[in-house]
Amino acid sequence: MKSFLAAATLTLLSLIPLGAQSSQKDFEKNLPDSVKYYLPSFGQGRVVYKDGQFSNGRFNISTIDQSLRFLDESGNVMALSDAGSVDRVSIDGMLFIKYQNSFMAFSMDIGDVYLCASRRIEFKDSKKGAFGLESSTTNIKEARKIEGYGGQIFDLDGNLNYTVKLYPFIYKNKVAYVPSRRLILRTFKDRTEKIEAYLAEHDVNFSDFDQVYTLLAAIKD
């Protein structure tokens, strides 16, 4: 077990580099926790590192930059800057895996296949990025080029239009895939008839987490 404060590389949110510090703090403080974090409040959990060690604490995940946040002994919100060392984290019984630059929550399993969700803030008129998702950094880089912690860039002084989205992913053999009709049929070949029957009656938007969840729930049993 690691001592979180002693062994991890940490960034205190009040110590963001000069130039981004006040702007980023102002941006975040104007957002409710239900928007800027995956969970509405910090919960008791455990971080498991790639080397097999772990740390306990109170955690949450930022929807802005996908950083792992935690509360120190004084109740300050801090961010783990060395996110590459994290394998997974559990918060109040919910399991998140660290996949590339995102944390994905496990929501349902069908055998060795998992439906995961990535919750994040997306900004209006942003461009497509990894996995075909909207990139919250591209249009903001072009506008202001203000860098905050985690390598993310925000137009923090501008009037940002944003929404919070829950993206679905199919996770199998440690690889995440963007859902599609073809992928679902290929992944669940033993449930082809159920899938085809469901899709004949429902026009599923495979980028909508709730619709994908409902589809998989219908074919699970």
Side-chain angles (χ1 to χ4, degrees):
M1 177 177 175
K2 290 186 178 181
S3 170
F4 205 89
L5 294 176
T9 303
L10 306 173
T11 301
L12 183 63
L13 296 190
S14 62
L15 298 179
I16 296 168
L18 186 64
Q21 177 177 342
S22 61
S23 294
Q24 184 150 349
K25 287 179 65 179
D26 289 344
F27 177 70
E28 291 207 14
K29 76 180 182 181
N30 290 325
L31 297 175
D33 285 356
S34 59
V35 170
K36 65 185 175 184
Y37 296 122
Y38 193 107
L39 301 172
S41 61
F42 281 72
Q44 191 65 38
R46 170 175 292 184
V47 177
V48 178
Y49 303 95
K50 291 179 179 178
D51 62 6
Q53 296 193 65
F54 64 90
S55 299
N56 298 322
R58 296 191 65 81
F59 302 103
N60 214 328
I61 294 170
S62 169
T63 61
I64 300 170
D65 60 7
Q66 294 292 297
S67 63
L68 178 63
R69 308 286 180 88
F70 70 98
L71 301 179
D72 70 5
E73 294 178 354
S74 299
N76 298 310
V77 177
M78 303 182 76
L80 177 66
S81 61
D82 185 20
S85 65
V86 175
D87 180 71
R88 60 191 182 275
V89 57
S90 61
I91 307 174
D92 284 346
M94 181 176 289
L95 178 63
F96 298 83
I97 57 165
K98 183 68 169 57
Y99 187 79
Q100 297 185 0
N101 295 321
S102 298
F103 280 95
M104 298 183 178
F106 278 61
S107 300
M108 180 192 302
D109 66 281
I110 301 179
D112 61 349
V113 180
Y114 301 87
L115 174 63
C116 297
S118 177
R119 189 171 191 265
R120 62 187 69 201
I121 285 182
E122 301 291 357
F123 295 90
K124 184 179 179 181
D125 298 327
S126 55
K127 298 180 181 180
K128 295 296 181 181
F131 293 113
L133 304 184
E134 295 176 352
S135 170
S136 63
T137 60
T138 304
N139 63 317
I140 301 169
K141 284 181 184 178
E142 296 168 356
R144 292 287 299 187
K145 298 184 178 180
I146 297 177
E147 184 172 354
Y149 59 88
Q152 301 297 304
I153 299 176
F154 299 94
D155 177 17
L156 299 174
D157 294 323
N159 295 316
L160 294 178
N161 293 317
Y162 62 85
T163 185
V164 179
K165 294 186 179 181
L166 195 63
Y167 286 101
F169 291 93
I170 301 298
Y171 186 79
K172 182 178 182 180
N173 296 329
K174 297 185 178 181
V175 179
Y177 303 90
V178 176
S180 67
R181 179 190 184 103
R182 181 178 180 182
L183 177 72
I184 297 297
L185 286 168
R186 186 174 70 242
T187 303
F188 303 105
K189 293 180 180 179
D190 58 333
R191 292 173 167 83
T192 298
E193 290 187 9
K194 285 185 176 182
I195 296 171
E196 293 284 13
Y198 185 92
L199 294 179
E201 296 183 4
H202 303 84
D203 184 16
V204 176
N205 177 0
F206 288 96
S207 66
D208 185 294
F209 176 82
D210 291 334
Q211 293 187 38
V212 176
Y213 183 96
T214 302
L215 163 60
L216 295 188
I219 69 168
K220 182 173 181 177
D221 298 326

